Amino acid sequence: MTDTLAPVQPAKLIINGQAVDAASGETFTTYNPATEEPICAVARAGPEDVDRAVKAARAAFESGPWPRMRPAERQRILWKLGDLILEHGDEIARLETLDNGKPIFESRQVDLPMVASCFHYFAGWTTKLTGETVPVNPAFFTYTLREPLGVVGAIIPWNFPMIMVGWKAAPALAAGNCVVLKPAAETPLSAVRIGELALEAGVPPGVLNILPGPGSSAGAALVRHAGVDKITFTGSTEVGRQIMRECADTVKKVTLELGGKSPNIVFADADLEAAVRGAYNGIFYGKGEVCAAGSRLLVEKSIHDELLAKLVERTRKLVPADPLDPKTRLGALVNESQMKKVLGYVEAGAGEGAKVAAGGKRQPVNGKGWFVQATVLSDVDNHMRVAQEEIFGPVLTVIPFEGVDDAVAKANDIFYGLAAGLWTRDVKKAHGVARRLQAGTVWVNLYNFYDPGMPFGGTKGSGFGRDLGADSLREYTQTKSVWMNIE
Ligand code: NAI
Ligand code: MG
């Protein structure tokens, strides 16, 4: 690819319609996990920048045009932003792959169109956020208004940096809110670029502010700021808990998406070839650094050995390679500590009695990078740590079960409840099991499918609130009841 040599310009903060340095003048370096080399310097937002951005967003909300303009005008601007994202698709996808280590195939062909489609989809909602007239008493005219919350703080993770901008900012903006978004320090570049394109699309100053910086300073300051009405967060359970506690002080609304350990259940009557593909894509897409990864493969005993053999054969052919090569399907993990965490789990699993049926090791590409082999752990018991904890890497645990009740019991015997998959040709079984699974999303005879129209989020330890779909607009609006005496 010829454009790989083009240097990446240093990234700034986007505050009040301007690309600016941090108030402190500090920067940090973002690295390419495939080469371990620096990509560029990035302005490092601190509490002072958070304060500037929140004040700009408050001013934009309270006296700027965004919440006051005709919804069709907001629609036009958000639609244009979707178009600009598509027009700059190669550039944004490349930034994402450099920053995160994911294959360019995924950034360009899957993630990028999803971000654009979020802005297009939610553009359509601007003109459809209706209230109701309520028949209370003929003497009154009683109705509800659907209003934005005000300033939304969005704190997003490093695994889907650009997608998370679409999932969080598009519905919040469509509803008329102003947004301060903090990308993860590991992967700030695509969010900053989309922030610039938003200005080009006509999003007014202060309406979408982007603040790359560390969670412990910029993130924490955003959570504590009294000028923020709501925090929407996707990331680790530990930080989610802390954010929820801290939101209490200023009575902020909060929604949390905290990952998972999702079961992918293969019944003996499934189309085996399709189930093997689904199991494989369910764990290896995005290097397994995916909140909804189908990381617990539950397989009915009678087909267990056959399915495992097919899966292992397929897995061994998936080798880590240069993420910028369009043929690559397994990239580098986001950083060294994530790689060590993942390898540590493989070791822990082996220590607990699991068998490493495929992969299990680091495998540098051209002598560099935080690459881990596509890994299958078999002979796993649902109570092992590798079955209960989120590994967040290309590591699949395979767990046998016997019959529907055992499958459901094992699937639900977990702290998390984000997603689940099931594979069967039996329609009754499919609907019955889908109802019994404790998960925000159930995929039947497919896995890892998303659409801006389909709500996504967790139950149990995976958090609460929904991204995407009509449901997400409820998270960014509130109802005002108006009573009018007309007699
Ligand atoms: P993290 O939860 O620390 O990071 C997520 C976001 O929160 C980042 O933008 C970060 O800067 C911010 N943040 C961190 N501390 C904060 C604080 N005190 N206040 C406000 N914001 C804060 O996740 P991390 O450390 O990058 O990854 C650790 C593990 O979390 C991973 O190994 C994985 O298991 C899990 N994870 C799950 C994700 C998901 O999509 N469910 C995404 C990322 C990580
Ligand atoms: Mg990086």
Side-chain angles (χ1 to χ4, degrees), residues 29-33 37 39 95-101 158 184-189 334-335:
T29 303
T30 186
Y31 288 88
N32 178 345
E37 279 164 16
I39 304 169
L95 289 177
E96 193 85 330
T97 284
L98 290 174
D99 228 1
N100 168 281
W158 43 256
E186 292 83 354
T187 55
L189 299 177
V334 75
N335 57 26

Side-chain angles (χ1 to χ4, degrees), residues 155-159 182 184 215 219 233 235-236 259 291 338 341 390 392:
I155 298 177
I156 65 172
W158 43 256
N159 55 337
K182 195 202 80 61
F233 172 77
S236 65
C291 51
Q338 191 63 25
K341 178 181 162 183
E390 187 177 51
F392 227 60

Side-chain angles (χ1 to χ4, degrees), residues 144-208:
T144 60
L145 292 172
R146 195 112 180 255
E147 297 188 331
L149 302 175
V151 175
V152 171
I155 298 177
I156 65 172
W158 43 256
N159 55 337
F160 287 97
M162 64 164 138
I163 280 192
M164 287 296 119
V165 176
W167 285 29
K168 308 285 193 196
L173 294 174
N177 298 282
C178 297
V179 174
V180 179
L181 183 142
K182 195 202 80 61
E186 292 83 354
T187 55
L189 299 177
S190 56
V192 172
R193 191 66 190 104
I194 293 170
E196 291 168 355
L197 292 176
L199 297 173
E200 209 176 311
V203 173
V207 172
L208 178 59

Side-chain angles (χ1 to χ4, degrees), residues 32-57:
N32 178 345
T35 60
E36 305 169 38
E37 279 164 16
I39 304 169
C40 66
V42 183
R44 184 181 197 270
E48 205 178 318
D49 305 297
V50 169
D51 188 52
R52 279 199 287 168
V54 172
K55 283 183 174 145

